[in-house]
Amino acid sequence: MGGASSRDQEAETSYCLENETVESSNSSFFTDEELAKLKSDYDTGGVEKVKTVVQQKVTELDNTELNVAVTGQSGAGKSSFINAMRGLRSVDEGAAEVGTVETTMEPTRYKHPNLPNVCFWDLPGIGSLEMPLNKYLKKMKFKKYDFVVIISACRFTENDSKLAKEIKRLGKNFYFVRSKIDNDLDSKRKGGGQFNEEEQLEKIRNDCVSKLQRTGIPSPSVFLISNFDLNLYDFSLLNKALEGDLTNIMKNMYILALPNLNSEIVEKKRKELRKRIWMLAILSGVIGVVPDVSLGCDTGIVIGGIVHFRQCLGLDDSSLQSLAKRAGKPVEDLKAVVTTPLVGGEITPDVINRLAWGAAAVTISAIELTVCFIPVIGSIFGVGSSFLMTYKLLSAALDDLTESAQKVVAAAFGTKNDPNQTSAQ
């Protein structure tokens, strides 16, 4: 690929730097203030100064932790919820212990299988003889958690309300989750007679809300879920509430940690992963061409990005095995629908070279760059640069991996699971 003329490069640079407001902080990990500083740094210090700022942001992304506390009454299904959120069954290695009696006497941390910086904490049941409320509030150290999920299997109590008030006082968000909804509906069906499922769900939700209001929570939101099928009931609504409350980086971590339950989650992951591409491309562009590498990009950065994408999209071997077990399908059936060579083996420079054939000849305009989550910087490195090659390779790889992840989800669960549904079909 040939380089652009200096006039073309200046024009593209000027366009993107003047239009940094096209992309708000909603489409990157930078706030509006950080984007303005990034532009200023480039104006005063050039690419090297921008590289330092971007590298700091990448390091922040890699080092940030998301800690989720899960609490509630003994036997409410806290451990089952944590397992479901991590894409595990209770019999899988590393799963939280599930029992009919209180099995957790100390806060227990469970790391996400693919994203170890995302941790779910299984807290002891609130209000038990071993852990009365006043002692519980002191011992659990709620300040260290980013948000708290309060789970009940039947009704929320005064202790739940007191706990929520204390969490709010600490400046943390909390979410009421009513679990085991599938059990409630099954019991209703076995009782005989006709009943409307939507009306029954609304009745359960209203009952929870009214009891919380009586204990002093003015406008509580209660999310109805089944730990054994998160596609049902209010799980998608819970996710939307969480995503709206979390900062950009925390939101990114939470979405990438979700189990692949439906096409909507996979698409959300694609959007979040795309935010990192332009930063990796900038680092590649500053580093320049690695000696003895024919691609014109830093293959180490490209390979690292692809491996990260593959894990987050649930396409590594252990994730496919776990998904197959949860779906009750042979793992070979899931692997059979994968259409990209980026799954199932080691990512090597030779694999990247083959991928480059489809990406190298594509010219990207400044407008396209701005639209594709590259705020402020644009094509400052030129059309034939390592920056653009890395950007195009990672974009193509993410699209290929997302397409295969969508096919895997369809093979695992079929098309019957609608993420917007609120009840079983």
PDB file of all heavy atoms in Angstrom, residues 246-270:
ATOM      1  N   LEU A 246     -23.575   2.551  35.524  1.00  0.00           N
ATOM      2  CA  LEU A 246     -22.131   2.352  35.596  1.00  0.00           C
ATOM      3  C   LEU A 246     -21.388   3.362  34.730  1.00  0.00           C
ATOM      4  O   LEU A 246     -21.893   3.827  33.709  1.00  0.00           O
ATOM      5  CB  LEU A 246     -21.774   0.926  35.142  1.00  0.00           C
ATOM      6  CG  LEU A 246     -22.261  -0.213  36.032  1.00  0.00           C
ATOM      7  CD1 LEU A 246     -22.018  -1.560  35.370  1.00  0.00           C
ATOM      8  CD2 LEU A 246     -21.578  -0.162  37.396  1.00  0.00           C
ATOM      9  N   THR A 247     -20.163   3.689  35.140  1.00  0.00           N
ATOM     10  CA  THR A 247     -19.301   4.532  34.317  1.00  0.00           C
ATOM     11  C   THR A 247     -18.889   3.768  33.072  1.00  0.00           C
ATOM     12  O   THR A 247     -19.059   2.540  32.990  1.00  0.00           O
ATOM     13  CB  THR A 247     -18.037   4.938  35.095  1.00  0.00           C
ATOM     14  OG1 THR A 247     -17.291   3.754  35.416  1.00  0.00           O
ATOM     15  CG2 THR A 247     -18.395   5.678  36.377  1.00  0.00           C
ATOM     16  N   ASN A 248     -18.309   4.475  32.088  1.00  0.00           N
ATOM     17  CA  ASN A 248     -17.976   3.836  30.815  1.00  0.00           C
ATOM     18  C   ASN A 248     -17.109   2.600  30.972  1.00  0.00           C
ATOM     19  O   ASN A 248     -17.370   1.556  30.363  1.00  0.00           O
ATOM     20  CB  ASN A 248     -17.268   4.841  29.899  1.00  0.00           C
ATOM     21  CG  ASN A 248     -18.250   5.765  29.200  1.00  0.00           C
ATOM     22  OD1 ASN A 248     -19.451   5.519  29.209  1.00  0.00           O
ATOM     23  ND2 ASN A 248     -17.743   6.822  28.612  1.00  0.00           N
ATOM     24  N   ILE A 249     -16.044   2.689  31.770  1.00  0.00           N
ATOM     25  CA  ILE A 249     -15.140   1.554  31.916  1.00  0.00           C
ATOM     26  C   ILE A 249     -15.824   0.419  32.658  1.00  0.00           C
ATOM     27  O   ILE A 249     -15.726  -0.751  32.265  1.00  0.00           O
ATOM     28  CB  ILE A 249     -13.844   1.983  32.635  1.00  0.00           C
ATOM     29  CG1 ILE A 249     -13.041   2.918  31.732  1.00  0.00           C
ATOM     30  CG2 ILE A 249     -13.006   0.764  33.019  1.00  0.00           C
ATOM     31  CD1 ILE A 249     -11.754   3.431  32.345  1.00  0.00           C
ATOM     32  N   MET A 250     -16.541   0.722  33.736  1.00  0.00           N
ATOM     33  CA  MET A 250     -17.251  -0.316  34.486  1.00  0.00           C
ATOM     34  C   MET A 250     -18.344  -0.960  33.630  1.00  0.00           C
ATOM     35  O   MET A 250     -18.552  -2.171  33.668  1.00  0.00           O
ATOM     36  CB  MET A 250     -17.856   0.280  35.759  1.00  0.00           C
ATOM     37  CG  MET A 250     -16.843   0.745  36.772  1.00  0.00           C
ATOM     38  SD  MET A 250     -15.871  -0.628  37.443  1.00  0.00           S
ATOM     39  CE  MET A 250     -14.928   0.228  38.707  1.00  0.00           C
ATOM     40  N   LYS A 251     -19.041  -0.137  32.863  1.00  0.00           N
ATOM     41  CA  LYS A 251     -20.065  -0.660  31.964  1.00  0.00           C
ATOM     42  C   LYS A 251     -19.448  -1.613  30.959  1.00  0.00           C
ATOM     43  O   LYS A 251     -19.995  -2.686  30.669  1.00  0.00           O
ATOM     44  CB  LYS A 251     -20.762   0.497  31.250  1.00  0.00           C
ATOM     45  CG  LYS A 251     -21.759   0.058  30.186  1.00  0.00           C
ATOM     46  CD  LYS A 251     -22.360   1.267  29.478  1.00  0.00           C
ATOM     47  CE  LYS A 251     -23.249   0.837  28.321  1.00  0.00           C
ATOM     48  NZ  LYS A 251     -23.831   1.999  27.599  1.00  0.00           N
ATOM     49  N   ASN A 252     -18.309  -1.233  30.411  1.00  0.00           N
ATOM     50  CA  ASN A 252     -17.599  -2.085  29.454  1.00  0.00           C
ATOM     51  C   ASN A 252     -17.260  -3.429  30.076  1.00  0.00           C
ATOM     52  O   ASN A 252     -17.498  -4.491  29.484  1.00  0.00           O
ATOM     53  CB  ASN A 252     -16.333  -1.371  28.991  1.00  0.00           C
ATOM     54  CG  ASN A 252     -15.428  -2.251  28.143  1.00  0.00           C
ATOM     55  OD1 ASN A 252     -14.520  -2.897  28.653  1.00  0.00           O
ATOM     56  ND2 ASN A 252     -15.669  -2.260  26.842  1.00  0.00           N
ATOM     57  N   MET A 253     -16.731  -3.415  31.285  1.00  0.00           N
ATOM     58  CA  MET A 253     -16.340  -4.660  31.954  1.00  0.00           C
ATOM     59  C   MET A 253     -17.551  -5.531  32.236  1.00  0.00           C
ATOM     60  O   MET A 253     -17.508  -6.757  32.056  1.00  0.00           O
ATOM     61  CB  MET A 253     -15.592  -4.339  33.246  1.00  0.00           C
ATOM     62  CG  MET A 253     -14.286  -3.599  33.033  1.00  0.00           C
ATOM     63  SD  MET A 253     -13.490  -3.150  34.592  1.00  0.00           S
ATOM     64  CE  MET A 253     -12.944  -4.760  35.175  1.00  0.00           C
ATOM     65  N   TYR A 254     -18.637  -4.913  32.693  1.00  0.00           N
ATOM     66  CA  TYR A 254     -19.843  -5.677  33.015  1.00  0.00           C
ATOM     67  C   TYR A 254     -20.409  -6.355  31.770  1.00  0.00           C
ATOM     68  O   TYR A 254     -20.738  -7.552  31.800  1.00  0.00           O
ATOM     69  CB  TYR A 254     -20.891  -4.759  33.642  1.00  0.00           C
ATOM     70  CG  TYR A 254     -22.193  -5.466  33.937  1.00  0.00           C
ATOM     71  CD1 TYR A 254     -22.316  -6.306  35.033  1.00  0.00           C
ATOM     72  CD2 TYR A 254     -23.303  -5.315  33.097  1.00  0.00           C
ATOM     73  CE1 TYR A 254     -23.508  -6.977  35.295  1.00  0.00           C
ATOM     74  CE2 TYR A 254     -24.495  -5.972  33.354  1.00  0.00           C
ATOM     75  CZ  TYR A 254     -24.582  -6.804  34.454  1.00  0.00           C
ATOM     76  OH  TYR A 254     -25.760  -7.481  34.703  1.00  0.00           O
ATOM     77  N   ILE A 255     -20.513  -5.603  30.656  1.00  0.00           N
ATOM     78  CA  ILE A 255     -21.077  -6.174  29.429  1.00  0.00           C
ATOM     79  C   ILE A 255     -20.209  -7.310  28.904  1.00  0.00           C
ATOM     80  O   ILE A 255     -20.714  -8.380  28.514  1.00  0.00           O
ATOM     81  CB  ILE A 255     -21.253  -5.081  28.364  1.00  0.00           C
ATOM     82  CG1 ILE A 255     -22.383  -4.128  28.765  1.00  0.00           C
ATOM     83  CG2 ILE A 255     -21.555  -5.693  26.989  1.00  0.00           C
ATOM     84  CD1 ILE A 255     -22.549  -2.938  27.835  1.00  0.00           C
ATOM     85  N   LEU A 256     -18.892  -7.121  28.904  1.00  0.00           N
ATOM     86  CA  LEU A 256     -17.999  -8.159  28.389  1.00  0.00           C
ATOM     87  C   LEU A 256     -18.018  -9.412  29.265  1.00  0.00           C
ATOM     88  O   LEU A 256     -17.698 -10.501  28.786  1.00  0.00           O
ATOM     89  CB  LEU A 256     -16.575  -7.617  28.267  1.00  0.00           C
ATOM     90  CG  LEU A 256     -16.368  -6.495  27.239  1.00  0.00           C
ATOM     91  CD1 LEU A 256     -14.908  -6.063  27.211  1.00  0.00           C
ATOM     92  CD2 LEU A 256     -16.827  -6.932  25.851  1.00  0.00           C
ATOM     93  N   ALA A 257     -18.381  -9.252  30.541  1.00  0.00           N
ATOM     94  CA  ALA A 257     -18.425 -10.406  31.449  1.00  0.00           C
ATOM     95  C   ALA A 257     -19.740 -11.183  31.360  1.00  0.00           C
ATOM     96  O   ALA A 257     -19.833 -12.293  31.895  1.00  0.00           O
ATOM     97  CB  ALA A 257     -18.210  -9.945  32.885  1.00  0.00           C
ATOM     98  N   LEU A 258     -20.751 -10.635  30.686  1.00  0.00           N
ATOM     99  CA  LEU A 258     -22.039 -11.326  30.603  1.00  0.00           C
ATOM    100  C   LEU A 258     -21.910 -12.640  29.837  1.00  0.00           C
ATOM    101  O   LEU A 258     -21.153 -12.726  28.864  1.00  0.00           O
ATOM    102  CB  LEU A 258     -23.070 -10.444  29.890  1.00  0.00           C
ATOM    103  CG  LEU A 258     -23.612  -9.237  30.656  1.00  0.00           C
ATOM    104  CD1 LEU A 258     -24.450  -8.358  29.733  1.00  0.00           C
ATOM    105  CD2 LEU A 258     -24.429  -9.696  31.849  1.00  0.00           C
ATOM    106  N   PRO A 259     -22.644 -13.668  30.254  1.00  0.00           N
ATOM    107  CA  PRO A 259     -22.667 -14.892  29.459  1.00  0.00           C
ATOM    108  C   PRO A 259     -23.379 -14.648  28.129  1.00  0.00           C
ATOM    109  O   PRO A 259     -24.284 -13.809  28.055  1.00  0.00           O
ATOM    110  CB  PRO A 259     -23.455 -15.874  30.340  1.00  0.00           C
ATOM    111  CG  PRO A 259     -24.301 -15.003  31.227  1.00  0.00           C
ATOM    112  CD  PRO A 259     -23.502 -13.760  31.457  1.00  0.00           C
ATOM    113  N   ASN A 260     -22.949 -15.338  27.092  1.00  0.00           N
ATOM    114  CA  ASN A 260     -23.579 -15.184  25.774  1.00  0.00           C
ATOM    115  C   ASN A 260     -24.915 -15.920  25.768  1.00  0.00           C
ATOM    116  O   ASN A 260     -24.989 -17.112  25.477  1.00  0.00           O
ATOM    117  CB  ASN A 260     -22.664 -15.734  24.674  1.00  0.00           C
ATOM    118  CG  ASN A 260     -21.533 -14.795  24.339  1.00  0.00           C
ATOM    119  OD1 ASN A 260     -21.424 -13.723  24.925  1.00  0.00           O
ATOM    120  ND2 ASN A 260     -20.688 -15.181  23.413  1.00  0.00           N
ATOM    121  N   LEU A 261     -25.974 -15.177  26.058  1.00  0.00           N
ATOM    122  CA  LEU A 261     -27.305 -15.770  26.145  1.00  0.00           C
ATOM    123  C   LEU A 261     -28.122 -15.564  24.884  1.00  0.00           C
ATOM    124  O   LEU A 261     -29.018 -16.349  24.581  1.00  0.00           O
ATOM    125  CB  LEU A 261     -28.070 -15.144  27.318  1.00  0.00           C
ATOM    126  CG  LEU A 261     -27.429 -15.274  28.697  1.00  0.00           C
ATOM    127  CD1 LEU A 261     -28.164 -14.405  29.694  1.00  0.00           C
ATOM    128  CD2 LEU A 261     -27.423 -16.725  29.139  1.00  0.00           C
ATOM    129  N   ASN A 262     -27.843 -14.495  24.142  1.00  0.00           N
ATOM    130  CA  ASN A 262     -28.644 -14.151  22.970  1.00  0.00           C
ATOM    131  C   ASN A 262     -27.846 -13.210  22.077  1.00  0.00           C
ATOM    132  O   ASN A 262     -26.758 -12.740  22.439  1.00  0.00           O
ATOM    133  CB  ASN A 262     -29.968 -13.511  23.396  1.00  0.00           C
ATOM    134  CG  ASN A 262     -29.767 -12.368  24.379  1.00  0.00           C
ATOM    135  OD1 ASN A 262     -29.118 -11.373  24.057  1.00  0.00           O
ATOM    136  ND2 ASN A 262     -30.321 -12.504  25.579  1.00  0.00           N
ATOM    137  N   SER A 263     -28.403 -12.910  20.924  1.00  0.00           N
ATOM    138  CA  SER A 263     -27.704 -12.088  19.942  1.00  0.00           C
ATOM    139  C   SER A 263     -27.525 -10.650  20.424  1.00  0.00           C
ATOM    140  O   SER A 263     -26.557  -9.982  20.056  1.00  0.00           O
ATOM    141  CB  SER A 263     -28.465 -12.109  18.610  1.00  0.00           C
ATOM    142  OG  SER A 263     -29.780 -11.605  18.772  1.00  0.00           O
ATOM    143  N   GLU A 264     -28.446 -10.158  21.240  1.00  0.00           N
ATOM    144  CA  GLU A 264     -28.344  -8.790  21.734  1.00  0.00           C
ATOM    145  C   GLU A 264     -27.088  -8.605  22.571  1.00  0.00           C
ATOM    146  O   GLU A 264     -26.381  -7.603  22.435  1.00  0.00           O
ATOM    147  CB  GLU A 264     -29.579  -8.435  22.556  1.00  0.00           C
ATOM    148  CG  GLU A 264     -29.567  -6.997  23.067  1.00  0.00           C
ATOM    149  CD  GLU A 264     -30.729  -6.703  23.993  1.00  0.00           C
ATOM    150  OE1 GLU A 264     -30.932  -7.449  24.959  1.00  0.00           O
ATOM    151  OE2 GLU A 264     -31.432  -5.714  23.729  1.00  0.00           O
ATOM    152  N   ILE A 265     -26.782  -9.560  23.449  1.00  0.00           N
ATOM    153  CA  ILE A 265     -25.585  -9.470  24.289  1.00  0.00           C
ATOM    154  C   ILE A 265     -24.334  -9.526  23.431  1.00  0.00           C
ATOM    155  O   ILE A 265     -23.378  -8.769  23.647  1.00  0.00           O
ATOM    156  CB  ILE A 265     -25.591 -10.582  25.355  1.00  0.00           C
ATOM    157  CG1 ILE A 265     -26.657 -10.291  26.409  1.00  0.00           C
ATOM    158  CG2 ILE A 265     -24.219 -10.708  26.019  1.00  0.00           C
ATOM    159  CD1 ILE A 265     -26.819 -11.362  27.459  1.00  0.00           C
ATOM    160  N   VAL A 266     -24.309 -10.415  22.439  1.00  0.00           N
ATOM    161  CA  VAL A 266     -23.139 -10.512  21.549  1.00  0.00           C
ATOM    162  C   VAL A 266     -22.904  -9.193  20.826  1.00  0.00           C
ATOM    163  O   VAL A 266     -21.766  -8.726  20.707  1.00  0.00           O
ATOM    164  CB  VAL A 266     -23.317 -11.664  20.544  1.00  0.00           C
ATOM    165  CG1 VAL A 266     -22.169 -11.675  19.522  1.00  0.00           C
ATOM    166  CG2 VAL A 266     -23.382 -13.013  21.269  1.00  0.00           C
ATOM    167  N   GLU A 267     -23.966  -8.567  20.350  1.00  0.00           N
ATOM    168  CA  GLU A 267     -23.821  -7.300  19.635  1.00  0.00           C
ATOM    169  C   GLU A 267     -23.342  -6.190  20.576  1.00  0.00           C
ATOM    170  O   GLU A 267     -22.540  -5.329  20.184  1.00  0.00           O
ATOM    171  CB  GLU A 267     -25.151  -6.910  18.987  1.00  0.00           C
ATOM    172  CG  GLU A 267     -25.083  -5.656  18.123  1.00  0.00           C
ATOM    173  CD  GLU A 267     -24.048  -5.737  17.021  1.00  0.00           C
ATOM    174  OE1 GLU A 267     -23.819  -6.842  16.479  1.00  0.00           O
ATOM    175  OE2 GLU A 267     -23.454  -4.689  16.699  1.00  0.00           O
ATOM    176  N   LYS A 268     -23.822  -6.195  21.815  1.00  0.00           N
ATOM    177  CA  LYS A 268     -23.334  -5.223  22.787  1.00  0.00           C
ATOM    178  C   LYS A 268     -21.836  -5.390  23.014  1.00  0.00           C
ATOM    179  O   LYS A 268     -21.094  -4.412  23.152  1.00  0.00           O
ATOM    180  CB  LYS A 268     -24.077  -5.388  24.121  1.00  0.00           C
ATOM    181  CG  LYS A 268     -25.474  -4.806  24.160  1.00  0.00           C
ATOM    182  CD  LYS A 268     -26.056  -4.946  25.547  1.00  0.00           C
ATOM    183  CE  LYS A 268     -27.450  -4.341  25.646  1.00  0.00           C
ATOM    184  NZ  LYS A 268     -27.993  -4.458  27.017  1.00  0.00           N
ATOM    185  N   LYS A 269     -21.386  -6.636  23.060  1.00  0.00           N
ATOM    186  CA  LYS A 269     -19.959  -6.892  23.257  1.00  0.00           C
ATOM    187  C   LYS A 269     -19.146  -6.371  22.081  1.00  0.00           C
ATOM    188  O   LYS A 269     -18.065  -5.813  22.264  1.00  0.00           O
ATOM    189  CB  LYS A 269     -19.717  -8.390  23.450  1.00  0.00           C
ATOM    190  CG  LYS A 269     -20.222  -8.937  24.774  1.00  0.00           C
ATOM    191  CD  LYS A 269     -19.840 -10.386  24.969  1.00  0.00           C
ATOM    192  CE  LYS A 269     -20.281 -10.904  26.330  1.00  0.00           C
ATOM    193  NZ  LYS A 269     -19.834 -12.290  26.576  1.00  0.00           N
ATOM    194  N   ARG A 270     -19.662  -6.546  20.853  1.00  0.00           N
ATOM    195  CA  ARG A 270     -18.954  -6.026  19.688  1.00  0.00           C
ATOM    196  C   ARG A 270     -18.744  -4.506  19.817  1.00  0.00           C
ATOM    197  O   ARG A 270     -17.658  -3.988  19.580  1.00  0.00           O
ATOM    198  CB  ARG A 270     -19.728  -6.323  18.404  1.00  0.00           C
ATOM    199  CG  ARG A 270     -18.988  -5.873  17.138  1.00  0.00           C
ATOM    200  CD  ARG A 270     -19.945  -5.290  16.088  1.00  0.00           C
ATOM    201  NE  ARG A 270     -20.889  -6.235  15.559  1.00  0.00           N
ATOM    202  CZ  ARG A 270     -20.779  -6.815  14.368  1.00  0.00           C
ATOM    203  NH1 ARG A 270     -19.750  -6.537  13.586  1.00  0.00           N
ATOM    204  NH2 ARG A 270     -21.721  -7.640  13.954  1.00  0.00           N
TER     205      ARG A 270
END
